[in-house]
Amino acid sequence: MPSQPVRSVRRTVRVAAPAHVVYGMLADAPRWPVLLPSYVHVERMDFDGAGETLLAWEFQDGRVRSSRLRRTLRPQAHRVDFEQDDPAWPGDTVAGSWSVEPDGAERSLVTLWQQTPNAPANAPAGPDGLDADTAGRLARLREAAERWDRLDELLLAFEERMRVEGPAELVYDFLYRVEDWPELLPHVDGSSVREDRPGTQVVVLDTAAAGAGPAAGPDDGAAGSETVRLCFPHAGRIVFKETAPPAPLTAHSGEWSLVPDESGLTVVCAHRVLLGEEPLEAALGAGALPVDARRQVRERLGRESRQTLRLAKWHAESPVRRLRQGRGGSRR
């Protein structure tokens, strides 16, 4: 059989950020979901200090795609070599590298090289897909990296916890069945759930004026807010990311996790937020400052998370109380 033709693309962009900053963003893959718009979740499967294997989920063109990346990190050279497998197209492996060169003290030249056999004729990317993908990834990296001197002010991470004396299965069931939330949560007016494959949900919630983001954390009250959720029932985890969070948020991702112990479990809702840099007055009113945005987002997301946690707790503990009362009579 004739060998499959190979397609190769190399592009370079100038980035207004130091080389070590840009390389650090490339190397820190678990942080991509809050910095790079297409990534929903990145899981590091193994790491030996130089080589690593990642599982990555991206949301593009209305669908979630997962891939496995094998990467070699070369910090001295500011270079990352990778091979990426797409399960949707067996045998279609993308090989390539990111390289970062200083261009003065606070600027860089970033090059992405990618090479792959031509995609199958029915591949959604089409013949120019690799070139468009390369250009898009460079543009998104440049946008994130050029905030480097303001990230401490713009990034926000926090979590809410609640103790539950009930079965983990009932807590997870409540969190998973987001289509039932309009009947249970006061800040949710309606829901739509698309599950193209088991455990991968695209959720649209209509929320009340107080605002709550779908499936994992509240948003700014915008009706029809969309969230991608990755559900891992055996691990007791639901990872989420809003696809278009409202101002003052630029990115909002996080995770529900169940941590069991001898007598019950702790349910944790973690949030990771990137605030926008547009004038805050448009979102928060005249005279608003970044510290006001951080406080408002923290209070709002925390309040709605606690509301959901309390309902999950009630859902899990009510059958246990009824069982105990049935066995030993009612307690005072």
Side-chain angles (χ1 to χ4, degrees):
M1 296 180 61
S3 61
Q4 195 171 19
V6 172
R7 180 165 176 76
S8 178
V9 174
R10 183 186 301 272
R11 281 178 172 263
T12 299
V13 297
R14 179 172 280 106
V15 178
H20 72 275
V21 169
V22 180
Y23 174 80
M25 287 187 176
L26 291 169
D28 190 7
R31 200 162 64 142
W32 289 351
V34 78
L35 294 176
L36 302 176
S38 66
Y39 284 93
V40 176
H41 181 57
V42 178
E43 191 96 6
R44 178 175 279 150
M45 307 304 294
D46 60 61
F47 182 55
D48 62 10
E52 65 179 359
T53 302
L54 306 172
L55 291 180
W57 288 261
E58 292 186 80
F59 185 68
Q60 293 179 306
D61 301 322
R63 61 191 292 259
V64 180
R65 300 183 69 174
S66 62
S67 60
R68 181 183 297 267
L69 288 88
R70 294 173 294 277
R71 307 203 311 166
T72 302
L73 307 181
R74 307 184 190 279
Q76 298 301 319
H78 290 161
R79 177 185 172 100
V80 179
D81 299 324
F82 65 87
E83 288 187 351
Q84 181 170 358
D85 298 326
D86 185 346
W89 309 109
D92 186 23
T93 298
V94 177
S97 65
W98 292 89
S99 60
V100 187
E101 300 177 25
D103 184 30
E106 294 189 353
R107 301 183 71 87
S108 307
L109 292 173
V110 183
T111 299
L112 174 57
W113 168 75
Q114 296 192 100
Q115 177 177 283
T116 184
N118 279 349
N122 60 344
D128 298 322
L130 189 63
D131 189 63
D133 179 77
T134 302
R137 291 185 186 279
L138 282 166
R140 292 189 291 269
L141 176 68
R142 177 170 59 187
E143 182 179 1
E146 290 185 345
R147 299 188 184 108
W148 69 276
D149 57 345
R150 304 177 297 282
L151 282 181
D152 287 345
E153 187 176 69
L154 298 175
L155 287 171
L156 177 63
F158 63 93
E159 62 184 34
E160 298 289 343
R161 293 172 169 260
M162 187 161 291
R163 175 76 186 161
V164 177
E165 295 182 0
E169 293 80 6
L170 292 181
V171 176
Y172 188 88
D173 177 72
F174 177 85
L175 297 174
Y176 178 81
R177 294 199 302 155
V178 67
E179 65 272 15
D180 295 338
W181 284 13
E183 300 176 2
L184 300 170
L185 292 170
H187 58 265
V188 178
D189 296 328
S191 67
S192 171
V193 182
R194 190 181 87 234
E195 193 161 350
D196 294 334
R197 64 175 68 92
T200 300
Q201 300 177 331
V202 179
V203 178
V204 176
L205 293 190
D206 296 325
T207 56
D219 70 357
D220 210 16
S225 56
E226 182 183 65
T227 292
V228 177
R229 307 203 318 167
L230 306 174
C231 305
F232 305 99
H234 297 298
R237 302 170 63 203
I238 297 177
V239 176
F240 63 86
K241 180 172 179 176
E242 283 194 79
T243 61
L249 282 64
T250 294
H252 176 209
S253 66
E255 178 177 338
W256 294 99
S257 57
L258 280 56
V259 185
D261 56 38
E262 294 82 359
S263 58
L265 69 151
T266 299
V267 187
V268 182
C269 184
H271 295 272
R272 293 180 293 275
V273 169
L274 178 65
L275 299 174
E277 296 183 277
E278 68 280 354
L280 293 175
E281 288 84 352
L284 303 180
L289 300 172
V291 66
D292 300 316
R294 292 174 67 89
R295 181 174 60 252
Q296 189 254 27
V297 168
R298 174 67 178 90
E299 290 175 354
R300 177 165 39 85
L301 296 182
R303 179 179 64 250
E304 300 295 348
S305 297
R306 291 191 299 273
Q307 192 173 57
T308 305
L309 286 167
R310 284 194 293 269
L311 266 294
K313 176 182 175 73
W314 175 86
H315 183 76
E317 291 184 349
S318 294
V320 175
R321 285 195 297 269
R322 290 196 295 269
L323 180 61
R324 287 173 177 170
Q325 291 173 356
R327 288 177 175 176
S330 61
R331 299 181 179 180
R332 292 184 178 273

